[in-house]
């Protein structure tokens, strides 16, 4: 269905439900008419009219309009039932007027809340585009896709972070997870991403990029005053895909990435030894090992946060990403792979995932025009200046 058709259908439906208060009034009048009891009147039930009007409309005047119509009907019903002089009629009119006024006030408050929510969503979307920028389909010799789902309802960003940049050293990527949630986690994630976007272009060695981020995080935490900042840390993985297909990775307390090659089961790329997350050690002590793997054409590397693998079903079983990834990736484009994994995680958990979940997929597809002599030329042009980045923390 086209967007125009959906709009017309939604508009027609919104107009149709506006008659519900009048349908309710008609039904009450009909019930009163078929009731032949001289001691029973359905007049108090007419308050359903303005009450429904406040629910089905976003116009403050609509409950008032329905209240006026309902009051007129109440007088007619009271004349028919011979209750004009009885207290039940006076109580019904008072209730109709009161509910109409309350309905108009509730519509006004609801509209204000909806506008505030819309403004907050707009700010969240703008912040997401600045903090977590959308990725192009191709970056150098890799195709990239990302999927991000924040745990907070109606939120677009949280404590997870990702980025992919083209540098003189190759395509460099990061994915990480800030301990905690809320604005403090977003602030810390922004600081780490800003440091990565600078260090990725300056530091030749990937482990020195991690050290740069550790210094930047330490400075941010010392300067920050949000609650719980003294206990914050960041787990992350840094990856560099060099022009010759060599993939380097550095892991700082993060779930190991998974390599997909052909139709085989996913393989964990675990480092020689794990180091704690950033923020745990002193920045000078951050020196993680660098793991190197040679990519083959078509290889895929999945980076993810713990919100994916820690999703549990009703029996408490964690999501088996390593077992499911190959099936989800069969015959699918990078973005489709991540959509399949996300849907599979939700089916496994049976509900919305309770933690931020980010996934970044890098698929190695070198451009033939950028191989051989072209790569050598690129490496010469991009040779770093002596001492570049030294002492900048």
């Amino acid at each position: 269905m086209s967007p125009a058709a959906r709009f017309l259908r939604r508009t027609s439906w919104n107009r149709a439900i506006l008659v519900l208060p009048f349908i309710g009034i008609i039904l009450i009048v009909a019930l009163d008419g078929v009731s032949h009891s001289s001691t029973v009147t359905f007049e108090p039930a007419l308050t359903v009219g303005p009450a429904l009007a406040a629910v089905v409309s976003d116009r403050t005047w609509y409950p008032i309009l329905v209240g006026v119509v309902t009051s007129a009907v109440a007088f007619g019903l009271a004349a028919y039932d011979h209750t004009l002089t009885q207290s039940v009629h006076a109580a019904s009119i008072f209730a109709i007027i009161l509910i109409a006024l309350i309905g108009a006030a509730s519509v006004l408050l609801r509209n204000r809340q909806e506008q505030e929510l819309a403004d907050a969503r707009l700010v969240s979307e703008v912040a997401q585009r600045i903090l977590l920028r959308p990725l192009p389909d191709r970056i150098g010799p890799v195709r990239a896709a990302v999927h991000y789902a924040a745990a907070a309802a109606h939120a677009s960003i949280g404590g997870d972070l990702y980025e992919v940049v083209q540098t003189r050293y190759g395509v460099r990527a990061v994915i990480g997870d800030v301990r905690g949630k809320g604005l403090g986690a977003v602030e810390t994630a922004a600081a780490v991403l800003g440091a990565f976007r600078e260090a990725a272009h300056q530091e030749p060695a990937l482990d020195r990029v991690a050290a740069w981020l550790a210094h930047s995080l330490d400075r941010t935490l010392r300067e920050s005053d949000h609650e719980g900042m003294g206990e914050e840390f960041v787990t992350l993985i840094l990856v560099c895909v060099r022009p010759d297909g060599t993939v380097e990775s550095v892991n700082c307390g993060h779930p190991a990435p998974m390599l997909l090659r052909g139709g085989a089961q996913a393989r964990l790329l675990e480092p020689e030894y794990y180091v704690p997350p950033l923020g745990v050690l002193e920045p000078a002590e951050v020196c993680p090992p660098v793991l190197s793997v040679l990519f083959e054409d078509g290889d895929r590397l999945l980076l993810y946060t713990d919100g994916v693998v820690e999703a549990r079903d009703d029996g408490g079983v964690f999501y088996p990403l390593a077992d499911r990834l190959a099936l989800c990736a069969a015959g699918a484009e990078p973005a489709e792979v991540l959509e399949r994994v996300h849907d599979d995680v939700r089916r496994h958990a049976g509900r919305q995932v309770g933690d931020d979940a980010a996934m970044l997929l890098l698929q190695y597809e070198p451009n033939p025009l950028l191989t051989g002599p072209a790569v050598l030329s690129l490496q010469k042009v991009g040779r770093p200046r002596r001492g570049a980045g030294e002492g900048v923390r």
Side-chain angles (χ1 to χ4, degrees):
M1 183 181 295
S2 66
R6 287 196 298 268
F7 174 77
L8 291 175
R9 183 176 180 180
R10 184 169 60 251
T11 302
S12 300
W13 169 250
N14 290 340
R15 290 177 178 175
I17 63 175
L18 292 178
V19 303
L20 286 179
F22 298 102
I23 293 176
I25 294 171
I26 292 172
L27 289 176
I28 292 168
V29 172
L31 287 174
D32 190 84
V34 298
S35 174
H36 300 291
S37 174
S38 59
T39 60
V40 177
T41 178
F42 285 84
E43 185 180 357
L46 288 174
T47 54
V48 73
L52 279 175
V55 174
V56 301
S57 176
D58 59 357
R59 304 293 183 179
T60 54
W61 53 263
Y62 192 65
I64 302 296
L65 173 64
V66 175
V68 171
V69 174
T70 305
S71 297
V73 172
F75 273 98
L77 202 61
Y80 176 80
D81 293 334
H82 306 290
T83 59
L84 281 172
T85 59
Q86 296 182 14
S87 60
V88 65
H89 171 64
S92 298
I93 295 298
F94 177 78
I96 290 171
I97 295 174
L98 182 62
I99 292 177
L101 294 175
I102 293 175
S106 66
V107 171
L108 179 62
L109 293 176
R110 186 174 70 239
N111 289 343
R112 288 181 178 177
Q113 291 174 349
E114 289 177 353
Q115 183 60 48
E116 290 175 358
L117 179 59
D119 292 343
R121 288 179 176 175
L122 178 60
V123 171
S124 177
E125 290 172 2
V126 172
Q128 183 182 35
R129 293 188 66 86
I130 296 174
L131 181 60
L132 302 177
R133 300 178 296 196
L135 302 180
D137 178 71
R138 173 175 285 276
I139 307 175
V142 303
R143 294 182 61 193
V146 66
H147 188 284
Y148 187 90
H154 307 301
S156 300
I157 54 177
D160 288 358
L161 58 98
Y162 63 83
E163 181 62 289
V164 182
V165 294
Q166 174 76 68
T167 72
R168 71 186 93 179
Y169 312 111
V171 177
R172 286 184 164 178
V174 62
I175 192 167
D177 184 4
V178 180
R179 178 191 179 276
K181 298 180 178 65
L183 293 178
V186 175
E187 179 184 346
T188 303
V192 173
L193 282 175
F196 170 77
R197 289 164 182 160
E198 179 69 19
H201 293 277
Q202 298 295 334
E203 287 286 3
L206 205 58
D207 58 341
R208 298 308 303 159
V209 176
W212 185 310
L213 301 188
H215 281 277
S216 178
L217 176 63
D218 180 68
R219 182 172 58 252
T220 298
L221 294 181
R222 282 188 283 105
E223 295 174 352
S224 177
D225 60 353
H226 64 260
E227 184 179 356
M229 68 90 180
E231 301 177 356
E232 277 193 357
F233 57 82
V234 180
T235 69
L236 58 80
I237 286 182
L238 298 169
V239 171
C240 180
V241 182
R242 296 191 176 276
D244 61 358
T246 301
V247 181
E248 298 176 340
S249 64
V250 163
N251 192 325
C252 296
H254 199 81
M258 293 189 181
L259 175 65
L260 272 175
R261 177 166 291 171
Q265 185 174 355
R267 177 166 65 94
L268 284 173
L269 296 184
E270 297 187 285
E272 181 181 353
Y273 59 89
Y274 280 92
V275 298
L278 301 185
V280 175
L281 300 177
E282 291 296 324
E285 300 175 2
V286 175
C287 187
V290 179
L291 176 67
S292 295
V293 177
L294 187 61
F295 256 174
E296 297 179 3
D297 194 2
D299 281 357
R300 293 171 170 179
L301 187 66
L302 178 66
L303 314 176
Y304 53 92
T305 59
D306 57 9
V308 177
V309 291
E310 291 184 359
R312 306 190 189 194
D313 61 12
D314 293 336
V317 178
F318 291 111
Y319 176 71
L321 179 60
D323 298 332
R324 303 281 187 91
L325 182 56
L327 181 61
C328 293
E333 293 294 304
E336 187 181 358
V337 173
L338 300 186
E339 287 290 343
R340 289 182 179 181
V341 173
H342 176 70
D343 292 342
D344 197 37
V345 170
R346 293 194 62 178
R347 283 193 296 269
H348 176 82
R351 59 190 178 278
Q352 178 67 34
V353 179
D355 193 7
D356 296 335
M359 293 180 288
L360 176 62
L361 185 66
L362 303 178
Q363 180 170 317
Y364 184 61
E365 290 185 8
N367 190 332
L369 298 178
L370 294 178
T371 57
V375 170
L376 181 60
S377 175
L378 179 64
Q379 291 174 331
K380 289 181 178 180
V381 172
R383 182 176 297 146
R385 299 187 303 273
R386 181 179 301 275
E390 291 297 328
V392 181
R393 295 291 182 267

